[in-house]
Amino acid sequence: MTAPANHSATRIFAASGIISLAAIVVAYFYGGWKAAGLTLILGILEITLSFDNAVVNAKVLERMSERWQQIFLTVGIVIAVFGMRLVFPLLVVVLTAHMSPGNAITLAFQKLPISDHESYAYKLHEAHPQIAAFGGMFLLLLFLDWLFEEREITWLTWLERPLARIGKLDALSVIIAGVLLFVIGQTVAADPGKVLAAGVLGIVSYLAVNGLGGLFENFEESQEEEFERKAHGGPSEIAKAVGKAGFFLFLYLEVLDASFSFDGVIGAFAITPDPIIIALGLGLIGALFVRSLTVYLVRKGTLNDYVYLEHGAHWAIGALALILLITIKWEVNEVVTGLVGLVLIGAAFVSSLMRNRREAAEGEPVQEIDVRV
């Protein structure tokens, strides 16, 4: 089991490395050494900011067949590169600046200073409060739903256990998110109407996407029961179930990935306003490596071996959500965002190592004991 997983992981990272080198070469021919350097910097920025994304995605991806994992790594990367890194910023400028798509594309390729009020980067920066409200609400609900869920294994037991008991109140996550959005809109938002509308859209989007997950689970259970009743149903019924279930999870992962990408996409324009360099750095290098890491975590079984990684990733999501909401009014350096996530996930990894060593010394099953940190 281990050798094939390692071989598969090596192949995935090798492909990521080759494509990343190709992206840097393309950037060099596009704009010289400066463009190549900026592309590499943006790639590293994306990987640093999105490690928690990879861990959370891995928990979903491990429920998908290998075929859908490959679709996530191939078709999904096209969506990540062209959808989030090219089309999304253009769409934001079109909607917020009230200009035609053609004018937005023309503006994107004009070499105007970032401080110029007519520049593409400036207009995208002006739309940041709405983007932060949407992404912040989406990720906050993702974190709160996880936080209020009862689990057998807990990391910060002194905090997670009481919150899980409080979470038995129906729709508590939505209530907290809605109240927080209202307070932000009435106190710190320069344009409360736009921020509130974007935040509500983020909440609705999360509920819709989360509903897809529930639809998938109900569909999968009904198909399994049907197959058990019809022993001669044949492999086509199983294939159909996996196909539809995989499609739902694929959609869920794409929306989740988009939400994680907001801070990286906006932060990239502080480094360069060139959409081509952003697509090469954030997309072909950063996003591809993050997706490769996601598949690697699944096939290596890392999340099963280091059980607190998922906890650390979700706490990092909560921190990222709050940072996004803070940036509605105040600037937060991307380095701070990346470090917060790395520290939380690093602490979870160290706690997992300590737990595994303790369980190995005691000779008890790893999955049955909680550790208080």
Side-chain angles (χ1 to χ4, degrees):
M1 292 291 292
T2 303
N6 288 337
H7 174 71
S8 176
T10 301
R11 184 178 62 203
I12 291 172
F13 281 110
S16 300
I18 293 171
I19 294 175
S20 297
L21 287 175
I24 295 174
V25 170
V26 170
Y28 171 77
F29 283 105
Y30 173 73
W33 286 112
K34 180 180 179 180
L38 289 174
T39 299
L40 180 59
I41 291 172
L42 289 174
I44 295 173
L45 173 68
E46 178 73 1
I47 294 170
T48 302
L49 291 174
S50 300
F51 191 85
D52 50 353
N53 186 9
V55 176
V56 174
N57 282 354
K59 289 299 294 183
V60 181
L61 198 66
E62 64 185 5
R63 297 162 57 191
M64 299 167 67
S65 67
E66 186 172 347
R67 174 174 173 268
W68 277 104
Q69 291 178 9
Q70 290 299 325
I71 292 175
F72 174 72
L73 194 61
T74 52
V75 177
I77 197 63
V78 175
I79 297 173
V81 173
F82 294 99
M84 280 306 299
R85 276 74 184 183
L86 281 177
V87 177
F88 169 72
L90 284 169
L91 184 61
V92 169
V93 171
V94 167
L95 294 176
T96 58
H98 306 290
M99 62 173 56
S100 67
N103 289 338
I105 294 173
T106 302
L107 184 64
F109 288 95
Q110 290 180 356
K111 304 298 182 180
L112 297 174
I114 296 177
S115 58
D116 191 324
H117 286 202
E118 294 302 318
S119 71
Y120 179 72
Y122 183 84
K123 291 185 181 298
L124 191 62
H125 177 75
E126 286 294 288
H128 177 74
Q130 295 98 292
I131 298 171
F134 178 92
M137 284 295 109
F138 188 99
L139 293 179
L140 180 63
L141 280 173
L142 175 64
F143 168 67
L144 291 177
D145 274 356
W146 172 84
L147 187 63
F148 294 143
E149 179 184 356
E150 289 190 0
R151 289 177 299 280
E152 181 180 353
I153 298 176
T154 55
W155 180 36
L156 305 177
T157 306
W158 58 274
L159 182 58
E160 293 178 11
R161 285 280 174 85
L163 290 175
R165 287 193 290 268
I166 296 173
K168 292 180 180 179
L169 176 64
D170 289 340
L172 180 60
S173 299
V174 177
I175 294 171
I176 293 176
V179 170
L180 181 59
L181 177 62
F182 177 80
V183 172
I184 290 173
Q186 297 301 313
T187 57
V188 302
D191 192 335
K194 291 182 178 180
V195 168
L196 288 173
V200 169
L201 186 59
I203 293 174
V204 171
S205 298
Y206 174 81
L207 295 175
V209 170
N210 197 47
L212 284 178
L215 179 63
F216 154 70
E217 291 177 355
N218 294 334
F219 175 78
E220 186 179 44
E221 290 175 0
S222 64
Q223 289 294 311
E224 288 177 353
E225 292 174 0
E226 182 70 17
F227 181 72
E228 290 176 358
R229 286 196 298 268
K230 298 179 179 179
H232 303 290
S236 60
E237 290 186 6
I238 297 178
K240 182 187 296 184
V242 172
K244 290 182 179 179
F247 177 68
F248 288 145
L249 285 178
F250 176 76
L251 290 179
Y252 179 81
L253 280 175
E254 288 305 313
V255 177
L256 191 61
D257 181 71
S259 298
F260 274 105
S261 301
F262 289 146
D263 59 331
V265 172
I266 300 303
F269 281 88
I271 298 174
T272 175
D274 194 312
I276 299 299
I277 296 177
I278 290 175
L280 290 172
L282 295 187
L284 286 182
I285 297 180
L288 184 57
F289 258 105
V290 170
R291 285 167 186 258
S292 297
L293 179 60
T294 299
V295 175
Y296 174 80
L297 291 174
V298 171
R299 297 184 181 176
K300 186 72 174 178
T302 305
L303 298 183
N304 293 326
D305 295 335
Y306 305 98
V307 294
Y308 296 139
L309 275 180
E310 181 190 359
H311 297 71
H314 277 92
W315 280 105
I317 290 171
L320 176 58
L322 292 178
I323 289 173
L324 278 173
L325 296 175
I326 289 171
T327 59
I328 290 176
K329 183 174 183 179
W330 297 283
E331 296 283 342
V332 177
N333 193 286
E334 289 77 18
V335 175
V336 174
T337 306
L339 285 178
V340 169
L342 287 178
V343 168
L344 287 169
I345 293 175
F349 177 74
V350 172
S351 296
S352 298
L353 282 177
M354 294 171 60
R355 179 179 191 273
N356 290 346
R357 289 174 182 173
R358 180 161 42 249
E359 295 297 339
E362 296 175 358
E364 297 179 3
V366 173
Q367 298 294 328
E368 296 180 0
I369 296 180
D370 294 336
V371 171
R372 297 176 182 269
V373 176

